[in-house]
Amino acid sequence: MASAPHLFLILLPFYFTPILSFLYRMLNALIAPHLVLEFGLSPAELGFITGAFFFGFGVMQVPLGLLLDRYGPRPVILTLYAIAAVGALLFIYAPGPVWLILGRFLMGLGAAGSMMGGLKAARVWAPADRLPFISASLFAMTGVGGMLGTAPMGLLVGEIGWRGGLGVILAYSALLMLLIALLVPSAPRPADVRWRTQFRELGQVWRSPLVWLIAPLAIASVGTNGAYLSLWSPIWLRDVAGFSQDAQEWALFAMMAATMAGMLATGSLSQRLIRRGRSAMPVVFGGVAISLAAQTLAVLEGESLAWVIWPMFAFGSAAIVGLFAILARRFDPAVAGRVNTSINCLMFAGSFAAQWGVGLIINQYPQAANGHYSPAAHQTALLIMLGIQLLGLLWYVLRKDKMDPAQGTTAS
């Protein structure tokens, strides 16, 4: 374990990497109207282009875990950020939708290690009892990235255009790569570095009943969170609540602030429970309940409560990150990268499916002359997403005693 000052320097760059990931991720929520006008996109095409980020992010998770456990976070994250930069350049100069999809895919591929690199560094160099708060505080920085990627980025895009805004994100990426190169040391190599051994250990992770116990809940919750915070909530605010573009951006800012608050609250409460020898799952369940309540209000078309509904949704759905710290304590540190990226792979596959799926549902309803979508379409999409999340929660409740070997002991 590293000393406190050394640990601070090692983790410092990783508190800024989630910001970059969310700047890439949130940009499409801001520039969607520009893309629709410039490229003539349908709702399904817009959802697919935006979701391509999550597809790339998810596809990279399985090899990412192997690479992080084998080489450590420093070389892996530097390489991935170079790939993300190529994707951003393709997006800027895209002549049509196909190139937009490829650009978003590469941005997602390259941003895939932003959080996982920090979690791996924490598992290698930080004390185990500090992992819940460190993990949650790393995730909380996505809220900072989200806040910067909403109204402030909207103001910037208004001044220099969406291509210029993406250029600013590229400059931030270059600065972050320099920090990682200077401050993050090489990680200790595993005792057995044979690929066959690492793949066998990865197979053990994927066959773990505990992973598949939480996977449906994680996929459904993160998928819904990704779909709405990255694209569809501002469009709901426009179509159902009548928000202007500026109001949508500030609402997204409030959602990201709520996300950060939810993650910090999750980390703090989880760490207290674990230090007392209790399970941290009640914290996750509490957050899921808040998120579901907010979505229920949105289904009821509570446009007068719009400023309450979506920050409430963001705060509650943020609690799902508590699953990472819970899982980390149940597996050996040598496979920490593969554990985190395996569950992240499933989560972001859900985000891609939800992003695109909501677009497909909305596409089934007639579009208004002003380009807005039907409130009934939004209501149907939310109802379907609510049902999927409830099924994931039901799976956990019904299967816990059979699939969790600890059955509620301090390990959980």
Side-chain angles (χ1 to χ4, degrees), residues 276-287:
R276 293 174 185 173
R278 297 168 61 186
S279 170
M281 278 304 295
V283 177
V284 175
F285 287 146

Side-chain angles (χ1 to χ4, degrees), residues 81 105 178 213 279 353 381:
Y81 277 0
F105 173 79
L178 180 63
L213 173 64
S279 170

Side-chain angles (χ1 to χ4, degrees), residues 372-397:
H372 292 193
Y373 308 127
S374 164
H378 287 289
Q379 186 181 50
T380 302
L382 278 165
L383 272 172
I384 291 172
M385 297 310 298
L386 261 171
I388 292 170
Q389 291 166 86
L390 287 171
L391 287 174
L393 184 60
L394 186 63
W395 169 267
Y396 182 91
V397 171

Side-chain angles (χ1 to χ4, degrees), residues 271-318:
Q271 186 160 285
R272 289 181 187 179
L273 288 173
I274 287 172
R275 284 179 170 174
R276 293 174 185 173
R278 297 168 61 186
S279 170
M281 278 304 295
V283 177
V284 175
F285 287 146
V288 169
I290 292 170
S291 173
L292 293 175
Q295 292 168 70
T296 302
L297 288 174
V299 166
L300 298 174
E301 297 188 51
E303 57 268 23
S304 62
L305 298 175
W307 282 103
V308 175
I309 289 171
W310 292 106
M312 179 179 167
F313 165 78
F315 179 88
S317 59

Side-chain angles (χ1 to χ4, degrees), residues 167-185:
V168 171
I169 296 174
L170 278 171
Y172 176 73
S173 173
L175 179 61
L176 195 50
M177 290 173 73
L178 180 63
L179 270 180
I180 293 171
L182 293 175
L183 296 180
V184 180

